[in-house]
Amino acid sequence: MRVDGSKASAFDEAFDYVIVGSGAAGATAARVLADTGRSVAVLEEGPAVDPKEFSTEVFPSFQRMFRGQGGQVARGRAFIPVVQGRCLGGSTVINSAIVWRLPDDVWEPWKTEYGLGDALPLSELHKHWDLIEKELSIAETPPQVWGEFNRLMDVAKTNLRVSAAPIRRNVRDCRASARCLTGCPTSAKQSMLVTYLPYAEKKGAALLTCAKAEEIRWDGDRATAVSGTFEAPGRPRFTARARKAVLVAASAIQTPGLLARSGVDSPHLGEHFQAHPGCALMGIFPNKVGMWRGATQGYDADHHRRLGRFKIETIALPPEIVFARLPGAGKRWMRAMLETPYAAIWAVQMRAWAQGSVRERFFGTDIKFDLTPRDLVQMRRGLRFTAELFFAAGAKEVWPGIHGLPERIKPGEEWLLETAPADSRAYSMILSHLFGTARMSVRAADGVVGTDFAVHATRNLFVVDSSLFPTNTSVNPQHTIMGVAMHAANRISEAKL
Amino acid sequence: MNARSRAVIEALIPQGGQPPLPGAFESGFDDFYARFQNTALPSMRLGFRAALWAAAWLSPLLIGRVPPLSRLSSEDRERALEAMGASRSYHVRQLLLLLKAVISFHYGAHPAVRRALEFPS
Ligand SMILES: Cc1cc2nc3c(=O)[nH]c(=O)nc-3n(C[C@H](O)[C@H](O)[C@H](O)COP(=O)(O)OP(=O)(O)OC[C@H]3O[C@@H](n4cnc5c(N)ncnc54)[C@H](O)[C@@H]3O)c2cc1C
Ligand code: SF4
């Protein structure tokens, strides 16, 4: 069943499980719970967008499918865009389909320092990842769809002898259109929109779209319903009553706000916000690269992932996004635009030490995040390594786009990147991997969510997204999020509620 | 859009600036601007206006000229906007970035521009 909140009137129905959020976490939980034969409702604030309507243009795509029309930012010394999907399928609709299992070295402290080894057992997670990988056709990106900008990293890998490889992605028959950011027009990308949500719907789940959950209602320590408003004119109210449980999967940015609005009180709520800041360089090659043909993100270098805390990824971005960061104004800016066919963009994705916060304020969600001095050192090392990769692949120039550095760097000048300012305001970064704002803990005093995924001191209000992660993951998170959500949903379905 | 703001946009993407790329207005920026005004979030609209204002009134000061930007020669307009990008003030740099970002929403999607870049149709 579908309820389109852009047209619906008031709604009040009961379900066994009510899930808030339809992204990686919510859809995976829905997929598991729908299999139990119980009734499930998924509430999604954004619209359901038919893949046939995906546009190659960024502005309408941002307006329709991105939170804050793509303008959400974290405040700190610098403003850093925080990019998220706001549509049926959540950020999986606009992501690049990169799949990484949570590395052992990241999980180990979850067990030893945070005591979560039994709550998030790695062996169980691996079983879930096996299943997800089968269901979402996850495989290494084949050379036929690399395109030149991915192939060049393969060249760099060979020349520099570093650890790098084609990325494993959740795609089926990827057509190498490099359009993942604005939605996959052929549904090759196995996002939640075209996989687990239709699966759950077929099994009877109700999908409510344009339906913003505003509050969780209580009877003592039991969550009994989720209420909110539809987007239709007049903002009709909806209530989804929960006979068994409410699962919150609204993302590490929206989950803490919903919990706070619903009376959950913990000094850890909205704190410990962690991320993987991304910062890109552009390499200019003597021959055409054609960034807009190839798997959007098809190759990465994990050489420094563990000790250096960064990974380098290829990425194709639409001209609209590329242009904004090109140097110059007027004729010089336009000349730079004409050089983009020769450009590849490779980005550092860093496992930051920094911890920020997420709070609901009267003007909206207030995200605070500042890189630590240690992070800035690692970031600059990552940028230098990226430049080294570019030159090893044959680039004639690298454009750093960093205030205080030359606009163009030549081979042999990679070291300049390590002299870039130790000030986050000099860089253009983004955040799209988000964690930790309702973290799991054994003791109520140390976090928001218990080891049974229920918010401490509540019986049946569960958090199943990356808000509960005690740390960032050092790798692209959707697979970890799905594995954890699958594990959580299995446990919840077995619990006596 | 008033004449001063138009001068800013025109200076950023001038007509005949770099053939075969069209100028901003030649490529239909007015239509995009109307759409932007009608559909963008208030915070974005406000940010864009602030950025236009800063480019018109502050950027000439950065190269020792009297504002507004529309009074300057086309070379000085470009120099003034470039000075915003190189400014020591983070906020000034961010305002130029915002201007370029919003204009790019339109310009980077324009068929003639995409053709020039061999963006697959
Ligand atoms: C551009 C981009 C590229 C990325 N690329 C990759 C990649 O290649 N590989 C990877 O592993 N990760 C990638 N990520 C990250 C990954 O997509 C996310 O980490 C993951 O989708 C998060 O899952 P989630 O369920 O927590 O949140 P989301 O997938 O963001 O879903 C949350 C959903 O909840 C909805 N919601 C929020 N509040 C409410 C409310 N009050 N009521 C109702 N609904 C609500 C939101 O609208 C949203 O649809 C990318 C992210 C972005 C933005
Ligand atoms: S590269 Fe293109 S075809 Fe492949 S998954 Fe992304 S949008 Fe779909």
Side-chain angles (χ1 to χ4, degrees), chain A residues 149 280-283 291 313-317 322 343-347 390:
Chain A
F149 65 97
L281 296 182
M282 210 159 161
M291 193 198 314
E313 297 168 355
T314 59
I315 184 163
L317 291 168
V322 176
I345 298 178
W346 295 351
F390 267 134

Side-chain angles (χ1 to χ4, degrees), chain A residues 345-374:
Chain A
I345 298 178
W346 295 351
V348 178
Q349 181 216 274
M350 190 184 55
R351 184 181 190 200
W353 299 97
Q355 297 208 1
S357 65
V358 177
R359 290 257 175 282
E360 285 291 298
R361 309 257 189 233
F362 76 97
F363 57 81
T365 308
D366 185 16
I367 310 170
K368 293 227 172 91
F369 190 80
D370 252 328
L371 291 190
T372 66
R374 236 164 143 192

Side-chain angles (χ1 to χ4, degrees), chain A residues 169 171 174-180 183-186 188-189 294-296:
Chain A
R169 301 172 75 231
V171 296
C174 171
R175 309 276 174 88
S177 71
R179 278 177 59 177
C180 288
C184 180
T186 57
K189 177 163 61 186
T296 306

Side-chain angles (χ1 to χ4, degrees), chain A residues 56 59 63 68-69 78-79 288 292 319-320 323-324 326 328-335 337-338 340 403 425, chain B residues 11-12 14 17-18 21 32 39-41 44 78 82 86-87 90 93 97 100 104 107-109 114 117-120:
Chain A
T56 60
F59 185 57
Q63 290 199 307
Q69 297 189 355
F79 299 109
K288 283 203 173 139
W292 300 295
E320 292 96 312
F323 284 2
L326 295 176
K331 291 191 202 99
R332 218 163 63 81
W333 188 25
M334 295 169 85
R335 239 188 337 266
M337 291 174 190
L338 288 176
T340 54
H403 181 71
R425 293 175 303 184
Chain B
L12 274 165
Q18 208 57 240
L21 295 177
F32 169 80
T39 57
L41 290 177
M44 281 197 195
E78 276 191 28
E82 293 259 5
S87 166
Y90 175 64
R93 296 200 305 273
L97 181 69
K100 288 169 78 169
S104 298
Y107 197 65
R114 288 188 165 192
L117 305 182
E118 295 173 28
F119 185 92

